[in-house]
Amino acid sequence: MSYCLNPNCPKPHNTNDGKFCLTCGSKLLLKERYRAIKPIGQGGFGRTFLAVDEDKPSKPRCVIKQFYPRIQGNSPMQKAEELFTQEAMRLDELGKHPQIPELLAYFIQDNRQYLVQEFIDGQNLAQELSQKGAFSETEIYKFLQELLPLLLFCHNKKVIHRDIKPENIIRRRLPQILESGGTSSDIVLVDFGAAKFVTHTALTITGTTIGSPEFVAPEQSKGKAVFASDIYSLGATCIHLLTQRSPFDLYDINQDAWIWEKYLKNPVSEQLIRILNKMLENALSKRYQTVDEVLQDLNYLTAKTVKPTHTNSTQTNFPTQAKSQIDRELEEMKTMFLNNSKPKSNINTGSTTQKSQPISKSKIDEELEELRAKYKNNE
C-alpha cells in the first residue's frame, strides 16, 4: 500500500509497494526510504501523511509533512515557506525530548519541501474531550504537571511555541521507554510550525500575528508574543477542557472578565481557579511571567489537602495542619513514655537494687487514642 505525494495525481492510492505511482508515474519513495501510506491531515501550509521508514528492518511508522500552501500572493507564499522551514529548525534545535516529536529528515524533492518526523500514536486532547467529556480537576492537575516542565524546557531553549491548543497536544496510547529504563510522560506537544526562536531583539520587534485566535494571548494577537503568551494559551486550553466550550464563549466582553466558572462540568477548587485566572490575565504585568512561577503555585497546591467543593454535612472535616500537629505531639508523648518506662538496671537505693516495672505499650496506645478522641470531640 502506497500513497502518491503528487498533488495533481488523479488516483493517488496505490495497492502495490513499488517505487513509482501506477497512475502518474511519480516516485513513491522520498529519499529512497520514506513511503507515504495515507493522508492524515491538511492545513493552510501543507499536507500530512502517515508513512513508514523502509530503510529500517522494523519499518517504523513516521509522519511526512509536505509543503503545499493553499494561499496566493508572493508575500504570503514566502511567509508560509518560512514557517515550514522554521518548524524543521525548531525541532532540530530542541533536540531529542520524549515529549516532542523527533525530527528525522528535512529535504527538497521534486521542487517541494518535505519534513519527516516521529509518529506519535495517540489521540489529541480535542479528540479525547469529544469522546470522554469534560476533564476533572484531578485530570487538569496531572495534565499541567506533565506539560509545564516541557514548556519550561522549550522556553529555556528560547523557543515560544505560539500555538498551544488541544489539537496540538497528543496523549500517547503506550508509554515510551526511556534509556534510563523509566517511562516518559504520555503528553506530547506537536506542531512547531508557529514556534519562534527568541532573542532580545526579537522580543522588542512586532512580528507576524499567528496562532489559533481562541487560544491566543492579547499581546500575541498584536504580533508581540512573549514566553507568558504560551502560559495564557495553556490556561485557555485548561478552561476549554474543563467546560467543553470555546474560550470565546467563556469571556464576557461587556464586563471585561472571564466567566468560565459558570460553565464548569465538574467541581473545581478555589485554589485551581486562582491559578488558572492568573494564567489568563489579559495584562502581562498581572499574569505569570514564567513557567517556574506556575509550577511553584501548582506544587504548593498539590502538596496540600484541598477541601472538597461538596462535603457530607454529617461528616466532621478537620484541618489537615491541625491533625498533623496533634499526631506529632501524641507520637512525641508516646516516645517519651516508652523511653521513661524502660527497665533500668542497678538503680541504687542504698543496700537494695530495684527494677522499675515497664509500662505496657498497648496501654500507652489506648491512652493516646483517648486523648485524640477527646480533641476531636472538642473541635
Side-chain angles (χ1 to χ4, degrees), residues 277-295:
N277 280 338
K278 190 170 181 180
M279 293 174 72
L280 289 164
E281 285 283 359
N282 284 331
L284 263 173
S285 59
K286 296 181 180 179
R287 195 186 312 157
Y288 288 110
Q289 298 299 296
T290 66
V291 173
D292 273 326
E293 294 176 7
V294 189
L295 279 169

Side-chain angles (χ1 to χ4, degrees), residues 44-45 67 69-83:
F45 300 151
F67 180 62
R70 295 182 297 173
I71 53 179
Q72 296 181 346
N74 292 333
S75 181
M77 181 69 73
Q78 184 178 357
K79 186 61 185 178
E81 186 174 350
E82 177 186 327
L83 289 171

Side-chain angles (χ1 to χ4, degrees), residues 99 125 141-154 164-165 168-170 185 187-190 230 234 237-238 291 295:
Q99 291 177 262
L125 294 193
Y141 278 140
K142 187 175 185 297
F143 165 60
L144 286 173
Q145 287 171 334
E146 292 186 64
L147 191 63
L148 284 169
L150 169 60
L151 196 56
L152 178 62
F153 170 81
C154 295
I164 293 176
K165 58 183 180 180
N168 285 341
I169 302 167
I170 296 177
S185 164
I187 292 294
V188 180
L189 184 60
V190 302
D230 278 347
L234 180 55
T237 296
C238 286
V291 173
L295 279 169

Side-chain angles (χ1 to χ4, degrees), residues 47-67:
R47 303 189 300 167
T48 307
F49 304 87
L50 177 64
V52 294
D53 182 357
E54 296 198 343
D55 200 42
K56 296 182 178 180
S58 62
K59 294 188 177 182
R61 288 185 290 179
C62 56
V63 171
I64 294 173
K65 286 192 173 184
Q66 179 192 59
F67 180 62

